[in-house]
Amino acid sequence: MLPHAAAAQTVYAAGQPGVVGGNRQLPVQVTASVGGHCGFATGSAPSGSYNQPDFDVTGFSHDFSFQLDCTGPSRVAVVSTNGGLLTGGSVTPGYAALAPYDVSLNLVGSSSTATGTCTVATLAAAAAAPCAFRGPVSMSQGLLLNSTSVNQPGTYLRVSAPAYNGSSALIGGIYSDTLTVTVSAAS
């Protein structure tokens, strides 16, 4: 905002015929800012795979570490492709082809942490009762980390399940799921 009421002014260069004292001062206010940024730290996006033979008997737990590069509060969200560990094949009565597991997020910032755990079924895109950190991420959706996090160690996504004890036996096969993790600045 200009310090005085602005009025149209015409300025002529000194030395033009008929101009006396052609110099005028015109206040021009310039403002600028540098926006924050938020993403995964270079070379530290969550990725990888985990294979657990006989998970139905042994259960499993595995952490996928990653680091954030966010200069302000951020949100992290997760979406499951299958809503569980899924295998192909025909399912007969008394058997199942989808096994449940849990997904936990642990976010570490410079002055705060955020944690959350959900069943993977609530992370599926079509889940009727979605998890609080189900994606896609936005400025208001996902697990909130209310501080900066620039290359802070200790952030991870954990997948885990005890030995399977569902009401239906699992059919034989290779089970899999894909989790997609996204990050955004928070509002």
Side-chain angles (χ1 to χ4, degrees):
M1 177 167 273
L2 297 174
H4 307 290
Q9 296 187 19
T10 304
V11 178
Y12 298 96
Q16 283 188 327
V19 175
V20 178
N23 294 332
R24 299 218 183 202
Q25 292 184 352
L26 298 174
V28 176
Q29 182 178 2
V30 177
T31 57
S33 64
V34 175
H37 66 270
C38 189
F40 296 111
T42 302
S44 184
S47 65
S49 61
Y50 176 70
N51 182 23
Q52 176 63 53
D54 300 324
F55 73 91
D56 59 325
V57 176
T58 62
F60 63 91
S61 182
H62 183 76
D63 292 353
F64 296 91
S65 297
F66 61 98
Q67 293 178 340
L68 299 174
D69 183 14
C70 297
T71 58
S74 59
R75 289 189 181 271
V76 175
V78 180
V79 175
S80 166
T81 300
N82 300 324
L85 292 169
L86 180 66
T87 192
S90 60
V91 179
T92 58
Y95 289 88
L98 185 67
Y101 66 97
D102 292 330
V103 177
S104 300
L105 277 176
N106 184 67
L107 307 178
V108 177
S110 60
S111 62
S112 68
T113 60
T115 59
T117 300
C118 295
T119 61
V120 72
T122 64
L123 293 171
C131 168
F133 60 82
R134 182 188 73 186
V137 73
S138 69
M139 292 182 74
S140 59
Q141 176 63 36
L143 184 62
L144 174 63
L145 179 60
N146 208 7
S147 68
T148 63
S149 183
V150 178
N151 299 320
Q152 296 285 325
T155 293
Y156 61 84
L157 176 139
R158 175 176 291 152
V159 294
S160 62
Y164 181 77
N165 64 356
S167 60
S168 299
L170 294 173
I171 64 172
I174 296 174
Y175 286 74
S176 67
D177 192 16
T178 299
L179 299 176
T180 301
V181 182
T182 52
V183 63
S184 173
S187 56

